[in-house]
Amino acid sequence: MTLDRRGLLATGLALALGGCAGRGGVSLVAGPGGEAAGLEALKAVTAGPAGLTIRVASSGCARKEDFAFYVDRTGVPPTIAFARKRLETCHAATPGEAALSFTYQELGVAERGRLAVLNPLAANP
């Protein structure tokens, strides 16, 4: 699936309107265009004082360890992408969401400045 400029702009706008800009000194912005295939569709992403929290669809057992991230520090702003390493095999009575937090230190990015998250936003039903 290719994330076109309009989708990428909508993602960045949704992130900014979601109250994530400026928290903890990090502003989330739309990243450059490119392939989104294989990246987890996020329900939400927020920048807090200690790091990023992503909300993902979960059937009941999503854990932080089930996700990999890639950070490209060569561009301005740095970009980050999240992907699942393994599929969930459990099935909760009511599937929902999981909130997974990653500190800026473990992501290897500064606690100040801008950061582009390349994952698409999932459509909310």
Side-chain angles (χ1 to χ4, degrees), residues 8-21:
L8 196 55
L9 240 121
T11 299
L13 183 59
L15 292 175
L17 294 177
C20 20

Side-chain angles (χ1 to χ4, degrees), residues 3-66:
L3 187 62
D4 64 344
R5 282 191 176 181
R6 184 177 300 164
L8 196 55
L9 240 121
T11 299
L13 183 59
L15 292 175
L17 294 177
C20 20
R23 283 195 175 168
V26 170
S27 296
L28 299 174
V29 297
E35 289 292 315
L39 297 181
E40 183 71 15
L42 305 178
K43 298 278 191 175
V45 58
T46 54
L52 295 182
T53 298
I54 60 172
R55 296 189 69 76
V56 297
S58 175
S59 58
C61 59
R63 299 176 318 162
K64 180 177 169 176
E65 296 79 25
D66 297 331

Side-chain angles (χ1 to χ4, degrees), residues 68-87:
F69 60 85
Y70 173 76
V71 180
D72 182 355
R73 295 171 196 80
T74 60
V76 176
T79 57
I80 188 165
F82 294 91
R84 285 190 194 249
K85 291 193 262 184
R86 54 180 93 44
L87 296 175

